[in-house]
Amino acid sequence: MNVKTKLSDFLRPLLLGTLLLGSATLTTTALAQVQPLDRVVAIVDNDVIMQSQLDQRIQEVRQTIEKRGAEVPPNEVLQQQVLERLISENLQLQIGERSGVRISDEELNQAMATIAQRNNMTPEQFREALARDGLSPETAREQIRREMIISRVRQRRVAERIQVSEQEVQNFLASDLGKLQLSEEYHLANILIPVPEAADSATIQAAERMARDTHEQLQKGADFARLAVARSASENALEGGDMGWRKAAQLPPPFDSLVRELAVGEFTEPVRTPPGFIIVKVLEKRGGETQVRDEVHVRHILIKPSAIRSEDEARLLVKRLRERILAGEDFAELARNFSEDPGSALNGGDLNWIDPNSLVPEFRQVMANTASGELSQPFQSPYGWHILEVLGRRATDTSEEFREQQARNLLRNRRYDEELQAWLRQIRDEAYVEIKL
């Protein structure tokens, strides 16, 4: 679960009922009312829902609806809806319990601190707000814990229901919607030298000369915004021709392709369009960035300590293997004969091109300090003793891979709500629920 984006949902009665919607609090009179003997209102698999739980949630929901200025539904309707919500939550909490979902005290502390921060409160002010609403810090923590457990259960169970095929990803990337959502954005400005609809050739030529002269002045360093104010017939001329942010896919041809070729600060040649000759300048860019990943081609030999080989013996063996390589023996052959890394030994110790961030810190550090073509000194990692040789380094453009992952995430997110509702119906249908109202 992304805690930072969901914290406003955690303290439903507190945040929705007071902090986010107003400053009204529960009255001491209401809190002091005599409560009837509690009773079970629903049996939910291996747990129960009590009348007190139902009454408390109804009160919270009623307060929230009233604060929004909406009409509160009839009591029997509200009671049924709230009870179904409690049943659904109870089932999800039981699934979390069976699945071993646990929320640590550190995570809860962070959640409390973030809620306070999002409501512009210090921790002390947040505790005071809880107290005013008759909610102890312990009760608030328990409510947050429940919300976090439910969210994690949903993520795990719903995520496994969503399958996005490679073909779906490629189809989305090729679609107009995909191009729009994943395309880079440009902060643009323009200068329009107008051409009337029924202009004769002399008028068109005069407009073209004006556009060419404008372009030449820009090339000589003239200020784009000033020229826009002085010459442009565009509706944004008085704003220096500022068009705001536009996605490339939203621009008409040929500007959709032209702006992609421009660096920030550059501008197009005058382009003939129905309204006239247009010059477009790129002021800023965002999104669609090139994703470059550093990769290293490396091979290694791993010797592991064992019941019959001590730590010192493993280190000495690696040292002797290094000396043999320096004396001219083949690294790959020694790796095949001695290395205890099952993933690379048969390939002569070759790990191929690899992202350094995928390696343990000890290996990554030694690799970073070893020049291409050199053999490292023996070093230790959690796996044992190594020597490595760096065969090369390169920067790989992973932009396409990054775009595919973005598309996959978008497709998954679009299906999440639908799959969530289907999963909630499924667990409700499969559960034993006996309502005793």
Side-chain angles (χ1 to χ4, degrees):
M1 178 187 96
N2 187 329
V3 172
K4 293 184 179 178
T5 62
K6 295 292 290 180
L7 285 174
S8 61
D9 295 333
F10 287 157
L11 286 179
R12 183 182 293 107
L14 173 64
L15 296 181
L16 294 182
T18 57
L19 294 180
L20 296 182
L21 296 175
S23 58
T25 62
L26 297 175
T27 64
T28 54
T29 302
L31 292 172
Q33 288 179 346
V34 176
Q35 297 294 325
L37 290 176
D38 214 352
R39 66 188 183 94
V40 173
V41 293
I43 300 173
V44 184
D45 274 349
N46 299 322
D47 202 359
V48 296
I49 296 173
M50 305 301 293
Q51 181 73 55
S52 57
Q53 292 176 273
L54 178 60
D55 291 343
Q56 180 183 355
R57 182 64 66 84
I58 289 173
Q59 183 181 21
E60 292 164 0
V61 171
R62 188 185 298 276
Q63 286 179 333
T64 300
I65 294 172
E66 289 172 349
K67 289 179 190 301
R68 289 174 174 165
E71 182 180 352
V72 179
N75 189 63
E76 61 273 14
V77 174
L78 187 62
Q79 178 176 264
Q80 182 62 33
Q81 290 181 335
V82 171
L83 181 57
E84 281 298 324
R85 174 65 62 85
L86 286 173
I87 290 170
S88 177
E89 292 177 2
N90 191 295
L91 287 170
Q92 293 171 78
L93 288 169
Q94 289 188 56
I95 292 172
E97 178 68 24
R98 293 194 297 269
S99 303
V101 177
R102 299 289 184 270
I103 306 299
S104 68
D105 288 340
E106 182 180 356
E107 289 175 290
L108 277 174
N109 292 337
Q110 180 62 44
M112 296 282 282
T114 307
I115 292 174
Q117 183 180 14
R118 282 178 173 255
N119 286 278
N120 298 316
M121 294 181 177
T122 65
E124 181 58 35
Q125 290 172 329
F126 186 51
R127 286 191 290 271
E128 291 174 359
L130 292 173
R132 286 196 301 271
D133 287 294
L135 205 60
S136 69
E138 292 74 22
T139 302
R141 286 171 65 87
E142 183 56 31
Q143 289 184 12
I144 294 173
R145 188 191 299 274
R146 288 166 57 93
E147 293 284 353
M148 292 177 74
I149 290 173
I150 288 173
S151 182
R152 289 191 181 176
V153 168
R154 288 181 175 186
Q155 275 201 333
R156 293 182 184 181
R157 295 302 178 93
V158 177
E160 65 189 17
R161 296 169 64 99
I162 303 174
Q163 302 296 326
V164 178
S165 70
E166 188 61 32
Q167 188 60 52
E168 288 176 296
V169 171
Q170 296 306 319
N171 289 345
F172 180 76
L173 289 172
S175 69
D176 291 338
L177 178 60
K179 291 176 181 177
L180 178 63
Q181 292 195 354
L182 298 178
S183 66
E184 56 275 16
E185 287 185 294
Y186 299 88
H187 185 189
L188 303 174
N190 74 334
I191 294 175
L192 168 63
I193 306 301
V195 174
E197 284 188 21
D200 56 24
S201 60
T203 303
I204 295 174
Q205 290 173 6
E208 185 175 5
R209 286 194 297 271
M210 173 69 76
R212 293 293 175 192
D213 179 70
T214 302
H215 186 260
E216 289 176 9
Q217 291 193 45
L218 291 171
Q219 288 182 312
K220 294 176 181 178
D223 184 74
F224 193 97
R226 288 185 180 180
L227 280 176
V229 172
R231 298 188 175 188
S232 180
S234 175
E235 63 180 9
N236 50 35
L238 295 179
E239 288 76 43
D242 194 330
M243 300 168 60
W245 286 94
R246 305 288 178 90
K247 286 185 176 289
Q250 293 175 311
L251 300 173
F255 295 104
D256 56 344
S257 58
L258 287 176
V259 296
R260 289 190 174 100
E261 305 298 324
L262 299 178
V264 172
E266 293 182 342
F267 42 85
T268 67
E269 295 271 345
V271 177
R272 179 71 164 95
T273 68
F277 293 90
I278 296 179
I279 301 171
V280 172
K281 180 179 181 179
V282 176
L283 304 177
E284 298 176 85
K285 286 185 181 182
R286 68 186 180 194
E289 300 90 348
T290 299
Q291 302 293 316
V292 178
R293 181 175 66 198
D294 293 326
E295 294 182 323
V296 181
H297 189 186
V298 64
R299 58 183 178 180
H300 79 130
I301 296 174
L302 168 65
I303 302 298
K304 298 179 179 180
S306 65
I308 60 174
R309 180 191 293 137
S310 68
E311 199 78 52
D312 284 341
E313 288 171 336
R315 177 180 58 81
L316 288 172
L317 177 53
V318 166
K319 182 180 178 183
R320 287 196 296 271
L321 291 172
R322 181 178 187 275
E323 292 169 352
R324 291 172 63 177
I325 293 169
L326 292 175
E329 292 193 50
D330 184 59
F331 187 111
E333 189 62 30
L334 290 174
R336 279 189 284 267
N337 292 332
F338 289 93
S339 182
E340 296 176 285
D341 176 11
S344 68
L346 293 178
N347 296 323
D350 197 339
L351 295 174
N352 212 324
W353 291 99
I354 193 166
D355 181 355
N357 293 321
S358 67
L359 302 169
V360 294
E362 297 85 354
F363 199 105
R364 183 169 63 243
Q365 184 62 44
V366 173
M367 189 173 67
N369 295 331
T370 304
S372 294
E374 288 190 0
L375 195 64
S376 74
Q377 293 289 337
F379 66 96
Q380 189 178 25
S381 82
Y383 298 104
W385 283 89
H386 309 253
I387 50 172
L388 65 79
E389 181 182 11
V390 175
L391 302 177
R393 288 186 165 85
R394 71 182 183 187
T396 301
D397 185 355
T398 59
S399 299
E400 189 59 33
E401 177 184 330
F402 180 71
R403 283 169 52 80
E404 288 179 359
Q405 188 57 50
Q406 282 185 304
R408 190 170 287 105
N409 290 341
L410 281 169
L411 290 170
R412 291 177 65 86
N413 290 339
R414 285 165 59 179
R415 295 182 188 173
Y416 180 83
D417 287 339
E418 179 182 339
E419 291 294 337
L420 172 61
Q421 295 309 314
W423 177 71
L424 291 175
R425 287 195 300 270
Q426 178 184 329
I427 64 173
R428 177 67 168 84
D429 292 342
E430 293 176 351
Y432 172 77
V433 177
E434 182 181 346
I435 295 176
K436 291 182 167 293
L437 277 175

